[in-house]
């Protein structure tokens, strides 16, 4: 009984396809960044709105936070999932308008 060994897809070994994959991820990152310029949402809500997998959004969230481009606004129940989650944004003006309401 031989079990198949999982190897990277052949399409990813071609340089052209690697470039396509980089372009896809770059496009996803830009989509998330621009969506969060006008919205304060959880990662699940961003996924629902953009069609980008939630796991990818979580990775991009970390990358954007490390670059100082994404901010956690407040932690509360997600309107989509009903679970407690961080609402995030890439727009500092939205962040300051929310925090000034709390004062």
């Amino acid at each position: 009984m031989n079990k198949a060994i999982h190897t990277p897809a052949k399409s990813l070994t071609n340089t052209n396809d690697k470039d396509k994959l980089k372009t896809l991820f770059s496009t996803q990152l830009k989509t998330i960044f621009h969506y969060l310029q006008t919205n304060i949402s959880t990662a699940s809500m961003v996924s629902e709105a953009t069609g980008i997998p939630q796991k990818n959004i979580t990775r991009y969230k970390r990358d954007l936070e490390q670059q100082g481009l994404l901010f956690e606004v407040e932690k509360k129940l997600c309107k989509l999932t009903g679970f407690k989650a961080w609402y995030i944004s890439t727009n500092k003006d939205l962040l300051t308008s929310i925090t000034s309401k709390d004062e």
Side-chain angles (χ1 to χ4, degrees), residues 36-37 39-40 69-73 87-91 94:
L36 289 171
Q37 280 289 292
N39 296 281
I40 297 174
L69 298 173
L70 183 140
F71 312 94
E72 292 178 334
V73 178
Y87 278 74
I88 55 177
S89 180
T90 56
N91 186 333
L94 293 177

Side-chain angles (χ1 to χ4, degrees), residues 53-79:
Q54 198 266 348
K55 286 185 177 185
N56 290 16
I57 292 168
T58 301
R59 183 177 62 248
Y60 296 132
K61 174 184 179 278
R62 181 194 62 228
D63 295 344
L64 289 168
E65 280 179 314
Q66 288 174 346
Q67 295 174 36
L69 298 173
L70 183 140
F71 312 94
E72 292 178 334
V73 178
E74 63 181 324
K75 192 169 188 174
K76 63 181 185 177
L77 294 182
C78 173
K79 294 177 184 176

Side-chain angles (χ1 to χ4, degrees), residues 12 18 21 73 98:
L12 295 180
K18 286 180 183 177
L21 191 60
V73 178
I98 294 292

Side-chain angles (χ1 to χ4, degrees), residues 5-18:
I5 298 173
H6 296 285
T7 57
K10 287 184 181 179
S11 64
L12 295 180
T13 59
N14 183 333
T15 303
N16 231 1
D17 291 333
K18 286 180 183 177

